[in-house]
Amino acid sequence: MQKKLTKSKDKVFLGVCGGIADYLGVDPTMIRLIAVVLIACTGFFPLTIIYLVAAVIMPDYQEPSKHDDAVDGEFKEK
C-alpha cells in the first residue's frame, strides 16, 4: 500500500511535523526540533507561512477502514 502524507494523530500543534515524521519513518521530536530551529533561523516569517499552508492543505489522519482489500477500480459493497 502506498504511503500518504497526512497530519499526525498525535498532534502537538496542528499535526504537520508529526505527519511528516510518520511519512519519513523518523522520530517526530527530531522533525519538530528541526522545524523550530529553521523557523528561528529564517526570521519566523517564511517557514511559519509554509507551516500554516501545509496545515490547511494536508488531510487529517484517518484510520484504515476494514474494507481496504478492494483492488483499485473495484466497487466496495456495503
Side-chain angles (χ1 to χ4, degrees):
M1 185 162 93
Q2 184 179 9
K3 280 185 173 181
K4 293 184 180 179
L5 180 60
T6 60
K7 293 179 192 173
S8 176
K9 61 183 175 183
D10 304 327
K11 296 180 180 184
V12 171
F13 180 71
L14 301 176
V16 175
C17 290
I20 291 170
D22 289 342
Y23 183 78
L24 297 175
V26 297
D27 183 31
T29 305
M30 289 290 287
I31 299 296
R32 290 179 183 122
L33 288 174
I34 291 169
V36 168
V37 168
L38 288 175
I39 287 171
C41 289
T42 60
F44 294 96
F45 182 70
L47 284 178
T48 303
I49 298 299
I50 291 170
Y51 186 91
L52 293 174
V53 168
V56 170
I57 293 174
M58 287 173 66
D60 289 327
Y61 175 80
Q62 293 180 354
E63 292 289 331
S65 72
K66 297 176 186 174
H67 301 287
D68 279 346
D69 56 347
V71 177
D72 287 339
E74 290 184 6
F75 292 102
K76 299 177 186 175
E77 293 185 31
K78 292 186 178 183

